[in-house]
Amino acid sequence: MACCLESALLLLLLLLLLGSASSTEGNRCVEAAEACTADEQCQQLRSEYVAQCLGRAGWRGPGSCVRSRCRRALRRFFARGPPALTHALLFCGCEGPACAERRRQTFAPACAFSGPQLAPPSCLKPLDRCERSRRCRPRLFAFQASCAPAPGSRDGCPEEGGPRCLRAYAGLVGTVVTPNYLDNVSARVAPWCGCEASGNRREECEAFRKLFTRNPCLDGAIQAFDSSQPSVLQDQWNPYQNAGCCFLRVSSMSILTALALQALL
């Protein structure tokens, strides 16, 4: 019971930071979040990164999260969680700014993505760190091999690269080149960096950033996943598989309602 209560409180913290489900009812990001909540493994891993990335930052003040722990929890989420559910959270489609902002906030950008800096650093800094990292370098190479445009192929992208591209992109979340959505009015993604102060390596910097911001193969893979998301979630949704923990069986709005009623008793 203590485990269930702790998970429910972590989920409540996430809802309070991102907004309740009632304000975004019917959008795919809410559906993806509820499908993850209904899956024991997905919800457990999600609670872990919420605790590391949001809980401590919220309790100790802005900029106080331990970024290394947050990113480690995010890597675990994508490495061990059901891909259909983790990808649904990462690539859910949005038609309005409220949904897009929820999507942008899903993976704790204040801790895992941008941090406390007011301005993004040069992309060369995280790129150099990634290329020296035994963890990050192969993930970046996999992303380049799976998502970079391939002029000689039929559609200009790696053959059958859509699912592989999304897996490789998800593999970068939690590394020093963690990408995220840049705003709530588009689906543009990129690491938290720019190329204004890249000196004589400007071309290298721009080439790296364009892998995210101007990449038709990545854009196409995300759009293809979005079009298939309803069937993916339908296959995964099983609201009774975790009957032992009642807090995780109900929707996010039900949790808020139950806690509000409890406070009035």
Side-chain angles (χ1 to χ4, degrees):
M1 182 63 185
C3 173
C4 293
L5 181 57
E6 180 182 358
S7 297
L9 291 175
L10 289 172
L11 181 57
L12 177 60
L13 174 61
L14 181 62
L15 291 168
L16 291 174
L17 288 170
L18 302 186
S20 70
S22 62
S23 63
T24 51
E25 185 175 358
N27 73 51
R28 291 183 178 177
C29 293
V30 170
E31 293 170 358
E34 292 184 340
C36 179
T37 298
D39 181 272
E40 183 176 6
Q41 183 182 26
C42 186
Q43 175 57 22
Q44 179 181 351
L45 292 167
R46 187 178 179 219
S47 296
E48 289 178 7
Y49 86 68
V50 168
Q52 295 294 339
C53 302
L54 293 178
R56 297 181 182 185
W59 295 329
R60 298 182 183 179
S64 63
C65 74
V66 182
R67 176 175 286 187
S68 60
R69 294 178 181 175
C70 170
R71 287 180 168 175
R72 185 185 307 121
L74 286 172
R75 293 195 302 270
R76 282 169 51 87
F77 178 76
F78 285 105
R80 302 184 182 185
L85 298 180
T86 59
H87 287 188
L89 278 171
L90 184 57
F91 302 117
C92 55
C94 286
E95 297 182 357
C99 171
E101 181 62 17
R102 182 188 181 100
R103 178 180 62 187
R104 191 182 73 83
Q105 294 286 348
T106 295
F107 295 102
C111 185
F113 178 59
S114 59
Q117 306 104 306
L118 296 178
S122 168
C123 289
L124 297 174
K125 183 176 180 180
L127 176 60
D128 288 344
R129 288 182 60 194
C130 181
E131 290 180 341
R132 293 194 302 267
S133 167
R134 288 183 296 177
R135 176 183 296 114
C136 183
R137 182 173 56 194
R139 294 172 184 240
L140 179 58
F141 286 168
F143 175 69
Q144 292 170 327
S146 303
C147 298
S153 65
R154 178 171 50 85
D155 60 355
C157 297
E159 292 294 331
E160 301 179 358
R164 289 191 296 112
C165 178
L166 297 186
R167 287 195 299 270
Y169 176 93
L172 292 177
V173 178
T175 70
V176 294
V177 292
T178 293
N180 194 32
Y181 295 92
L182 298 179
D183 52 51
N184 61 11
V185 295
S186 71
R188 294 186 306 132
V189 296
W192 177 253
C193 63
C195 292
E196 290 75 12
S198 50
N200 59 4
R201 296 176 63 190
R202 178 72 178 246
E203 185 175 348
E204 178 186 359
C205 181
E206 292 285 0
F208 168 70
R209 202 164 190 275
K210 285 179 182 178
L211 283 172
F212 301 89
T213 59
R214 302 178 189 176
N215 187 338
C217 301
L218 176 60
D219 294 342
I222 294 175
Q223 291 169 6
F225 181 87
D226 179 42
S227 65
S228 68
Q229 185 177 350
S231 61
V232 168
L233 293 181
Q234 183 66 33
D235 292 340
Q236 290 290 324
W237 183 258
N238 183 359
Y240 301 106
Q241 67 185 32
N242 299 322
C245 190
C246 59
F247 272 98
L248 302 183
R249 297 275 54 78
V250 294
S251 70
S252 53
M253 190 59 195
S254 299
I255 292 173
L256 290 174
T257 303
L259 291 176
L261 289 174
Q262 185 178 14
L264 295 175
L265 295 178

